[in-house]
């Protein structure tokens, strides 16, 4: 054990294990998670060399092997609880993805959701036994967010009772679905349904794409891998071009809408049936943000405790880089963010389960709020985390660029969350739509409830941003509840400003749509402020349930840092709205420095509490024992370019070059 | 040619070719650059497939081949002017790096700088003919920025008249030098010199590391590649462990200091001799920021003109995504930044050459200012560009994640500039040191000249941030010169605040060093504001020399956008210092929207003016002809995972899995 990191642990003011319980949701949960994780790292079948040492094809190969083993072992161990599967899977995957992802997360759930009973009886056993390996083919090369724009067609032919599927243009080629390129033999294809000369819009079809015995592509199917990406090397994101591909009528997924044998189209009862899945996945992504950020902070903070560099006082030994104020200012606000997002992730899970219950009881009233919340928080947390991972990486100096640090892998595997499951700007605008709608309801005198209820008050206050700058703010900057209030009022102000911008555009005789587009900057800003408020509020609420004094104290420091740092980073908003004064902004800057010093002795313990096993972290810089350099050297020597002392390029190019000069 | 992009070009209000001349520094320069570029892309020896399709070892191999060819061809064509070599090399490299980089940029210049005449006569011909292929081994695994901390030792043995080199610890292993792992047979090694029992600090030694005939590592040399990184796949960044390696006394680089045969040490006349090179390299990096950002904007803006998505007005065709206000707000400020940094790059080159002249005349008076300027602007432009590339990438939706977009490559090759040649936070603090020193001189009544002369005025104004918020600002937000003034005053305020923070810490009986560290956040912020001011000022100055009315108009719009966007992003600073009022901040937000609309018709033309050849851009999304989708499909089909229809993992894992379930 590195002596620096040992000393750090001795200096902690709280019981790390108890904080881990809070993060896991109780000691039993921690225990069970560790049991499951131990199943993986004690299993020689999952021993592997760093994927960064392999070619793309080898990486895919290794990932398929691991996925196949995982399926067998989960069944062998009888692990079936989704949370437990998640823990097992996370350990197997490490910082990478897995090629069966969409089969499990999208294909099977879609079969459950969209098949009629007869279809379910046929397809589910095939999918569960991996005879059928499937993916979900929605996105096309030219079409993403806007589903109505998809071009793939499925035309019913009553003569043969078949659908004929086509990709009529290059831009209509299905593009990006995970597992489509090489792994899957079936795909759920979203296509525009044509029957008896009429288009009935998007529907889902089960399309066999590869022979179930030989795995060769079927006639009319052009399928393959979309090529190397920024990360996701383990996944064969694929393309699919359909050329007069015929499938039986029964392969249309008919739970809600149907085409009769004669071609008669039967409409679905409701058009909002996929709402739930999207909300669930987006809520999950909030938790993924917290986990990626926790990993990154663990690496950067442990390494900063081990790394010595330069000098603060001349003649003294080089200090740990964690002693530099600039390093603390880079990392501790991110550490506080990691805690904040962890609690927001827990909050989203709770709220999702609560509202799912309501929906099962036939009460859909909370769904719009949950939809708006999950969209906005997905965007807010992924954007923040995306930048934060890179700050962590760069805070490690040169070694952060080495794949041995794991930070490049964490970044490239995480960054797609900003785009998939709803592009972030689009998400922010969806949340804004809900906020503006709520604002207008309050304006009309309706009493709002739930998370937007603060917009009621805003109507009472009638905020005039231009006038309030001189108003005397009443905030107590050292009181977190008071800061929550300030964030709330900032959100209210910005929602109001966005709504007024739309109003002004309409008065300039713009159409509703153009007014919206011309206010989009303000709308995104309002959503961002709303989400920021929710995060600060959730963090504050969480503190109320923490009984342990030492833990309560350190978490309060983190929460205060999170809130204050957000104010200094957005001080213009708060000053403009007259919510804090100029002297208060200066006081907050001074307070932040004090908070950094307060957190310094607990920094390593606070990342230890995330309890991320070395095997899962897979980072030489972030090792629990702090023995960075020896292990970095060992890792480098295993790197494939060192397999031969002399690289073949010497004989091929360097020797001939000399003779020509 | 894609019709959308054709229409964009028809709508431009200015002559693209004339703007290109301005960016290149004149029509003759543009012509010559294009001639040189044509030499590369008409040369079949440089035809290659996408490096992203190759393994690490193949990438290195291909890069060595291209580098060797480049050396031969440059000599064949007689291209010797550094700027012309730069253009040729940029085309050969594309978005990647090259393994001979350090031989040319560091090894040979160091031989010139540090060898005495006799040594130069021996080593330079060997290096020029690539018999000796060298690198510059300074950084160690445990030591980067702080040179005095380096641990490698060179101990003189008078008995044999040799130096004995050692890596006494794991952390002393040389780590990161480019070309060290596999390519080089010599290294200039920085080591602590010991002679007759005394340590004389860091000195440079020429150390043979591989046999010049067999290329095998020499006895006592442990050398290899440091393993995969975030980018830089073409470069064999290496490690070097020295175990009692003996080199003749003559291999110490003796231009300035010496060890006599009997072991007597002769001191160098001055200790600041490497100052110049660092300043030059940092100045160059400012230009690299501009080029990376220009590439990224070219890709994102052209693609946004071709991509159609969603709807603004219901029922109408999907609009170009460049018509969304949010997309313009993401990209146009970055476009303005690309222009700003291009002009700052030109400015740095001019100022560097001017001051080099002075130095040659024995006038060192401007060197500290240039040093501070290059350090700060290196940090400012690389940090800004680093984030900006990712914004460009994510503005392309899913396809930005594909390696075919080139954006991932641009990012990973660029991001190390934030760390190498001086870690950015350290750079900002160096600039801050100059600013605070200048401030104190002004405080004492000295009249400052040069770029910091604004600190004179600040002394007259005696800014009191707490008091000025109520002061009536006099800025005309629509006048760029007035905005330059505002940026200047912001910088002055923040330098003053940082200096006062140090003062306050000292009054709390902190040592000078602790006071500095406890004010580091404020110091970095002051440097950042200073650099921001310089960029806005240089952009404004550049406009004065632009004669063409149409170009002057569009560049003025860009400059105004750059300045206004910076104010809204840092509005807290400007409000706090009382430099703009709350209503003005709101007016600026409205003005920014107008500027976005004004720039919209010229956006594609403005990136066309960067004149980045398709072959150099190597981006399917950024193609000049806008034919994105066909080429993306073609690129994907060439990807190695598609070499076989059925991947071997099917037989190995998927079939067996089924039989077990």
């Amino acid at each position: 054990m590195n002596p620096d990191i040992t000393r750090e642990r001795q200096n902690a003011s709280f019981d790390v294990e108890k904080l881990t319980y809070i993060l896991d949701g109780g000691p039993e949960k921690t225990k069970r998670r560790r049991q499951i994780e131990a199943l993986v790292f004690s299993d020689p079948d999952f021993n592997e060399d760093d994927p960064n040492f392999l070619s793309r094809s080898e990486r895919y190969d290794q990932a398929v092997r691991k996925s196949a083993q995982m399926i067998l072992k989960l069944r062998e161990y009888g692990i079936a609880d989704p949370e437990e599967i998640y823990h097992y899977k996370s350990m197997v995957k490490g910082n990478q993805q897995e090629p069966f992802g969409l089969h499990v997360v999208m294909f099977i759930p879609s079969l459950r959701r969209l098949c009629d009973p007869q279809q379910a009886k046929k397809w589910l056993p095939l999918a569960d036994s991996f005879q059928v390996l499937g993916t979900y083919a929605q996105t096309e090369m030219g079409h993403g967010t806007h589903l109505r724009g998809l071009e793939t067609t499925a035309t019913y032919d009553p003569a043969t009772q078949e659908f004929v599927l086509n990709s009529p243009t290059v831009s209509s080629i299905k593009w990006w679905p995970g597992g489509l390129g090489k792994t899957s033999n079936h795909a759920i294809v979203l296509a525009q349904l044509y029957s008896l000369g009429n288009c009935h819009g998007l529907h889902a079809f089960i399309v066999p794409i590869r022979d179930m015995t030989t795995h060769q592509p079927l006639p009319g199917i052009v399928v393959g891998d979309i090529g190397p990406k920024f990360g996701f090397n383990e996944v064969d994101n694929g393309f699919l071009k359909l050329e007069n591909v015929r499938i039986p009528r029964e392969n249309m997924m008919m739970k809600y809408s149907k085409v009769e044998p004669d071609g008669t189209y039967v409409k679905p009862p409701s058009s909002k049936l996929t709402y739930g899945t999207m909300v669930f996945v987006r809520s999950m992504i909030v938790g993924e943000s917290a986990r990626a950020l926790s990993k990154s902070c663990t690496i950067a903070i442990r390494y900063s405790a081990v790394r010595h560099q330069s000098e603060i006082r001349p003649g003294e030994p080089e200090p740990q880089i964690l002693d530099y104020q600039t390093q603390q200012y880079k990392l501790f606000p991110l550490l506080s963010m990691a805690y904040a997002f962890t609690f927001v992730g827990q909050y989203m899970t709770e709220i999702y389960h609560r509202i799912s219950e309501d929906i099962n009881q036939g009460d859909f009233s909370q769904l719009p709020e949950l939809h708006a919340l999950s969209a906005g928080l997905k965007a807010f947390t992924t954007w923040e985390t995306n930048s934060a991972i890179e700050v962590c990486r760069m805070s490690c100096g040169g070694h952060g660029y080495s794949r041995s640090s794991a930070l490049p892998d964490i970044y490239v595997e995480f960054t797609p969350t900003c785009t998939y499951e709803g592009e972030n700007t689009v998400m922010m605008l969806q949340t804004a739509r809900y906020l503006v709608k709520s604002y207008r309801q309050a304006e009309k005198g309706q009493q709002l409830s739930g998370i937007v209820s603060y917009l009621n008050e805003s109507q009472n206050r009638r905020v005039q941003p231009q006038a309030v700058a001189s108003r005397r703010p009443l905030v107590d900057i050292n009181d977190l509840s008071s800061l929550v209030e300030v964030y709330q009022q900032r959100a209210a102000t910005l929602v109001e400003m966005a709504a007024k911008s739309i109003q002004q555009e309409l008065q300039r005789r713009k159409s509703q749509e153009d007014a919206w587009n011309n206010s989009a900057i303000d709308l995104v800003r309002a959503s961002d402020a709303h989400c920021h408020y929710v995060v600060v509020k959730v963090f504050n609420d969480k503190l109320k349930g923490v009984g342990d004094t030492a833990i309560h104290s350190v978490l309060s420091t983190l929460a205060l840092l999170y809130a204050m740092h957000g104010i200094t980073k957005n001080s213009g908003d708060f000053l403009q709205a007259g919510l804090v004064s100029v002297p208060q902004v200066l006081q907050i800057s001074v307070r932040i420095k004090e908070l950094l010093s307060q957190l310094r002795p607990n920094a390593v313990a606070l990342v230890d509490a995330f309890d991320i096993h070395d095997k899962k972290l897979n980072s030489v810089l972030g090792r629990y024992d702090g023995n960075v350099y020896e292990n970095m050297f060992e890792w480098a020597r295993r790197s494939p370019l060192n397999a031969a002392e002399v690289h073949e390029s010497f004989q091929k190019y360097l020797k001939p070059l000399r003779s020509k000069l």
Side-chain angles (χ1 to χ4, degrees), chain A:
Chain A
M1 194 72 66
N2 175 295
D4 284 319
I5 213 152
T6 304
R7 203 179 56 242
E8 294 292 334
R9 291 185 176 125
Q10 286 160 351
N11 289 343
S13 70
F14 65 95
D15 183 338
V16 170
E17 183 74 2
K18 280 189 189 156
L19 181 49
T20 300
Y21 298 158
I22 293 174
L23 295 172
D24 277 326
E28 281 309 309
K29 293 243 185 190
T30 301
K31 195 178 153 199
R32 183 62 183 144
R33 174 176 59 73
R34 287 179 182 159
Q35 280 172 349
I36 289 170
E37 291 178 351
L39 289 174
V40 180
F41 55 74
S42 65
D43 186 339
D45 282 347
F46 292 125
N47 276 349
E48 54 167 12
D49 214 347
D50 193 317
N52 285 300
F53 292 165
L54 306 177
S55 73
R56 170 83 204 289
S57 178
E58 290 164 343
R59 291 179 76 146
Y60 170 68
D61 193 82
Q62 173 166 287
V64 174
R65 177 177 63 72
K66 289 203 300 178
S67 289
Q69 276 168 337
M70 180 168 69
I71 300 294
L72 291 172
K73 290 183 193 236
L74 283 170
R75 298 203 182 177
E76 182 191 326
Y77 297 135
I79 296 175
D81 175 75
E83 202 178 310
E84 298 193 357
I85 291 176
Y86 177 85
H87 291 316
Y88 192 88
K89 214 171 181 171
S90 303
M91 284 301 293
V92 173
K93 280 166 38 176
N95 295 318
Q96 277 67 42
Q97 303 295 324
E98 63 125 1
F100 291 5
L102 252 64
H103 180 75
V104 179
V105 177
M106 288 296 291
F107 186 74
I108 294 180
S110 298
L111 291 180
R112 294 222 167 87
R113 218 178 57 236
L114 300 172
C115 283
D116 67 23
Q118 213 175 337
Q119 291 177 316
K121 214 170 131 187
K122 173 181 175 185
W123 292 104
L124 278 171
L126 287 168
D128 282 334
S129 62
F130 285 79
Q131 306 296 314
V132 161
L133 236 167
T135 183
Y136 189 83
Q138 176 176 299
T139 305
E140 296 172 359
M141 203 194 269
H143 310 277
T145 309
H146 186 58
L147 291 186
R148 283 199 298 279
L150 294 177
E151 296 177 76
T152 304
T153 57
T155 309
Y156 186 64
D157 178 357
T160 59
Q161 300 201 12
E162 289 173 317
F163 288 100
V164 188
L165 280 96
N166 271 298
S167 309
T169 60
V170 178
S171 56
S172 76
I173 297 171
K174 294 292 179 188
W175 205 265
W176 279 110
L180 172 62
K182 293 285 158 184
T183 313
S184 301
N185 56 22
H186 283 70
I188 293 177
V189 171
L190 277 281
Q192 303 288 353
L193 166 62
Y194 285 84
S195 185
L196 306 176
N198 295 315
C199 180
H200 300 288
L202 269 196
H203 288 76
F205 302 85
I206 302 173
V207 181
I209 56 175
R210 287 178 182 270
D211 184 279
M212 286 174 66
T213 313
T214 65
H215 211 60
Q216 287 289 344
L218 294 168
I221 299 281
V222 184
V223 66
D225 181 86
I226 62 164
K229 295 143 296 185
F230 200 34
F232 273 58
N233 285 296
E234 273 66 19
V235 183
D236 53 321
N237 298 82
F239 61 77
L240 174 65
K241 187 163 180 278
L242 298 152
E243 297 172 343
N244 287 311
V245 173
R246 288 184 166 261
I247 56 168
R249 187 184 65 92
E250 294 77 22
N251 280 26
M252 173 177 167
M253 301 178 89
M254 300 225 207
K255 182 161 179 183
Y256 298 110
S257 48
K258 275 189 190 40
V259 170
E260 307 280 10
D262 66 354
T264 308
Y265 175 72
V266 183
K267 271 211 284 197
S270 158
S271 59
K272 290 257 170 184
L273 291 158
T274 54
Y275 226 45
T277 318
M278 287 189 325
V279 168
F280 175 68
V281 176
R282 287 172 194 161
S283 301
M284 284 288 296
I285 291 176
V286 174
E288 291 301 328
S289 298
R291 279 176 283 271
L293 188 51
S294 304
K295 277 188 179 181
S296 305
C297 287
T298 301
I299 296 166
I301 288 178
R302 284 188 187 154
Y303 178 63
S304 297
V306 169
R307 176 79 175 182
H308 290 254
Q309 187 69 53
S310 296
E311 52 188 16
I312 294 176
R313 301 177 202 90
E316 289 188 18
E318 296 185 82
Q320 292 163 286
I321 58 175
L322 203 52
D323 286 337
Y324 288 97
Q325 190 181 64
T326 46
Q327 190 78 349
Q328 295 170 8
Y329 191 61
K330 279 178 199 172
L331 296 177
F332 295 171
L334 304 184
L335 178 63
S336 73
M337 196 195 281
Y339 273 88
F341 289 0
T342 302
F343 298 138
V344 174
Q346 292 175 349
Y347 166 79
M348 286 305 290
T349 308
E350 283 159 27
I351 208 173
Y352 177 79
H353 286 305
R354 180 162 53 72
I355 295 182
S356 292
E357 283 292 299
D358 292 353
I359 293 173
N360 288 341
Q361 310 283 319
D363 174 6
F364 292 80
S365 61
Q366 304 292 311
L367 196 55
E369 177 172 316
L370 178 58
H371 182 256
L373 198 61
S374 64
L377 284 175
K378 180 265 187 189
F380 183 82
T381 59
T382 57
W383 264 336
E384 292 280 273
T385 301
N386 199 67
S387 307
I389 297 169
E390 286 299 83
V391 172
C392 287
R393 182 177 63 73
M394 293 200 273
S395 79
C396 295
H399 296 329
Y401 294 84
S402 170
R403 292 271 173 181
S404 70
S405 74
L407 288 162
D409 282 3
I410 293 171
Y411 184 63
V412 297
E413 301 304 321
F414 180 79
T415 183
T417 60
C418 297
T419 305
Y420 64 46
E421 301 299 336
E423 195 278 326
N424 275 358
T425 303
V426 176
M427 291 299 94
M428 282 297 195
L429 288 170
Q430 286 191 7
T431 300
R433 202 172 284 277
Y434 180 75
L435 293 172
V436 169
K437 198 177 148 194
S438 301
Y439 173 83
R440 295 231 173 98
Q441 287 170 342
E443 208 176 23
K444 286 182 196 131
Q446 255 181 272
Q447 194 66 18
L448 301 173
S449 63
I451 198 87
V452 290
S453 57
Y454 66 85
L455 294 172
N456 293 322
E457 300 161 39
S458 139
Q459 292 305 318
N460 304 334
R461 289 193 296 112
R462 290 262 152 235
V463 174
Q464 296 296 334
Q466 294 89 333
V468 286
S470 51
R471 199 178 59 178
R472 184 152 194 82
L474 294 166
V475 60
D476 172 0
I477 60 158
N478 287 304
D479 174 43
L480 188 57
S481 303
S482 188
L483 296 182
V484 173
E485 180 85 2
V486 164
Y487 272 92
Q488 191 189 75
Q489 290 179 26
R490 169 190 177 223
T493 309
L494 291 178
V495 171
E496 180 159 30
M497 279 171 68
K500 287 199 169 144
S501 166
I502 295 172
Q503 213 52 47
Q504 281 159 11
E505 293 287 334
L506 287 172
Q507 281 159 8
R508 282 182 211 140
R509 287 194 255 175
K510 293 271 169 59
S511 68
Q512 191 65 250
E513 294 77 19
D514 287 329
W516 180 265
N517 186 35
N518 287 340
S519 307
I521 296 170
D522 312 279
L523 289 161
V524 170
R525 202 173 149 206
S527 278
D528 180 81
H530 171 73
C531 294
H532 210 154
Y533 152 65
V534 173
V535 175
V536 175
K537 180 185 180 317
V538 168
F539 204 158
N540 186 39
D541 291 348
K542 183 78 193 182
L543 286 177
K544 293 172 193 158
V546 176
D548 184 285
T549 321
I551 291 178
H552 189 276
S553 164
V554 71
L555 288 182
S556 300
T557 309
L558 280 174
L560 215 49
L561 178 63
Y562 182 78
M564 286 189 171
H565 187 256
I567 292 176
T568 57
K569 286 285 144 188
N570 302 281
S571 58
D573 284 1
F574 293 92
L575 286 168
Q576 252 178 286
L579 298 170
V580 293
S581 65
V582 169
Q584 281 180 323
V585 174
L586 294 171
Q587 283 161 29
I588 288 173
S589 298
V590 173
R591 264 305 265 145
I592 285 175
K593 293 182 190 179
E594 292 166 8
L595 295 174
L596 297 179
S597 301
Q598 264 171 265
L599 285 169
R600 170 67 188 82
N602 280 320
V604 168
L606 281 166
V607 298
D608 283 351
F610 294 133
D611 194 31
I612 304 165
H613 193 277
D614 272 352
K615 188 117 182 183
K616 192 167 168 183
L617 203 56
N618 198 29
S619 167
V620 166
L621 301 188
R623 295 171 61 91
Y624 186 82
D625 66 11
N627 293 329
V628 169
Y629 298 134
E630 308 81 311
N631 285 285
M632 191 182 289
F633 190 39
E634 206 235 303
W635 179 87
R637 299 196 80 169
R638 289 206 316 273
S639 153
L641 218 55
N642 294 323
E645 282 287 7
V646 178
H647 192 266
E648 52 183 328
S649 56
F650 172 72
Q651 298 293 345
K652 280 155 69 183
Y653 315 119
L654 293 184
K655 268 184 102 166
L657 170 65
R658 290 179 187 174
S659 64
K660 288 177 196 155
L661 288 173

